[in-house]
Amino acid sequence: MKFVRLTATLLALSGCTTVYKGSVARTHTMPPPGLSFVVHGFGAEAEANQYFAASARQVSANLQAAGYRLAPDDEHADLIVRFGYRIGAGYRVSGPGQSWVSTGGPSQTVISRSEVTGPSGSSTISTQSTYDGGTGSAEPYTFAVHDNLLMMRIARRDTKAEVFQGTVRAQTDQDGPSLVIPTMIKAMFRDFPGKSGTTENLVGSHP
C-alpha cells in the first residue's frame, strides 16, 4: 500500500515558510524613482534588535531595485523609511486522523479541511491523503500558527509628510524571524509601490 500525506496551499511562490492567510495593504503618494532615502526602525530599541540590520538591508535593496538611491545619512536623504515587525507567539491547531478500507483498484484521495482562527481572522487548511488499496490510516495532526505583522512608513525628510503606509499581516507555520521577516518584506515590495488604497491577499509558500 502506498500512502502520501501533503499539506495543500493555494499559491506556491517557493518555499520554507507557509502563509496560511495574509494580506498586504498599501496607501501611498510615492514620488517617482530617483530620490534618496535612509532606513530606520521605529525607535532605538527596534534598531538594536539582532535581526534589524539584515532586514534593513533587504528593505534598502528592494527600494534600490525600484529606482531609489541609498543616502549616506539622514541629512542627505529625501525620504525617511521606517519599518517594524511583530512575530506572534503562536497557537496550536489540531485535526483528527482518518482510516479506510479498500479492495484495490486505482488510487484514491481523501481531502479534509480544518478551520484556523486567530487574531488575524480565519482561514482553511487542507490536508490530502492518497493511498492504493488495502487498509490504512492517517494520524491526527497538530501544528502551530503564528500571527505576524510588518509595518513600513515612508515620509519626506523636509516636510515630514508621509508618502507611503504599508502593512503586512500573515498567519505562518514558522516563528523564526530569519524566515518570517524576509517573507513579509518580500510581500511588502511585490509590485512596489502597488495600487494605492488596495489590499492584496497572500496565501501560499514563501522563501
Side-chain angles (χ1 to χ4, degrees), residues 2-67:
K2 176 184 177 184
F3 173 71
V4 181
R5 183 179 177 87
L6 302 172
T7 298
T9 57
L10 301 182
L11 176 63
L13 299 183
S14 78
C16 292
T17 300
T18 298
V19 177
Y20 297 126
K21 182 179 181 179
S23 64
V24 182
R26 294 175 289 196
T27 301
H28 67 86
T29 54
M30 278 295 289
L35 297 185
S36 59
F37 69 91
V38 291
V39 178
H40 290 294
F42 289 114
E45 183 178 351
E47 294 189 14
N49 184 280
Q50 62 178 316
Y51 299 102
F52 176 80
S55 301
R57 286 194 296 269
Q58 185 181 357
V59 169
S60 176
N62 278 277
L63 284 167
Q64 291 178 82

Side-chain angles (χ1 to χ4, degrees), residues 63-77:
L63 284 167
Q64 291 178 82
Y68 297 90
R69 298 179 294 106
L70 180 62
D73 51 43
D74 289 21
E75 184 178 350
H76 294 88

Side-chain angles (χ1 to χ4, degrees), residues 55-138:
S55 301
R57 286 194 296 269
Q58 185 181 357
V59 169
S60 176
N62 278 277
L63 284 167
Q64 291 178 82
Y68 297 90
R69 298 179 294 106
L70 180 62
D73 51 43
D74 289 21
E75 184 178 350
H76 294 88
D78 300 308
L79 304 172
I80 305 295
V81 181
R82 299 188 186 277
F83 76 96
Y85 61 87
R86 183 192 68 228
I87 307 298
Y91 49 94
R92 308 300 295 181
V93 176
S94 300
Q98 298 172 340
S99 61
W100 62 82
V101 177
S102 175
T103 58
S107 297
Q108 300 183 50
T109 299
V110 176
I111 298 177
S112 61
R113 293 179 172 82
S114 299
E115 195 74 12
V116 176
T117 303
S120 296
S122 299
S123 57
T124 300
I125 309 302
S126 297
T127 58
Q128 177 175 302
S129 304
T130 303
Y131 56 91
D132 294 332
T135 302
S137 65

